[in-house]
Amino acid sequence: MKSSDCPTCPICEQERKPDTGFRSLLSAPARRALEHHGITSLEQLASYSEKEILKFHGMGPASMPKLRTALNEKGLSFKNE
């Protein structure tokens, strides 16, 4: 069992989850994958291609439609290959 001060235990993970914004739509592994690469805004996300994002450890295909929709709502899109 992980201790409650572990940044990836369920209790801490829930407390770390953003209440709003595109990252609040993602699973914890996908959110950590973006954070690990310093992606905290849609503008930063738009500088990557879908293929690059899918290579991140923890990012799966189920997250891509959510990210695509979030980008589209702001008039942004993934970088072309």
Side-chain angles (χ1 to χ4, degrees):
M1 184 171 141
K2 294 182 178 182
S3 67
S4 63
D5 62 350
C6 172
T8 57
C9 81
I11 296 167
C12 294
E13 195 58 56
Q14 190 59 41
E15 290 173 0
R16 289 180 67 231
K17 183 177 181 180
D19 292 330
T20 60
F22 76 102
R23 291 181 301 147
S24 68
L25 307 172
L26 302 175
S27 67
R31 195 169 57 254
R32 284 194 303 267
L34 294 180
E35 289 169 0
H36 176 75
H37 289 274
I39 301 170
T40 57
S41 72
L42 288 170
E43 290 75 17
Q44 290 168 320
L45 182 63
S47 70
Y48 290 85
S49 69
E50 289 190 39
K51 188 183 275 187
E52 289 170 321
I53 294 295
L54 281 169
K55 287 182 184 175
F56 294 172
H57 177 76
M59 186 61 68
S63 298
M64 299 313 289
K66 296 173 186 175
L67 293 175
R68 236 179 271 120
T69 298
L71 285 168
N72 289 339
E73 287 173 356
K74 295 289 185 183
L76 300 168
S77 63
F78 283 106
K79 181 179 84 174
N80 289 326
E81 300 289 334

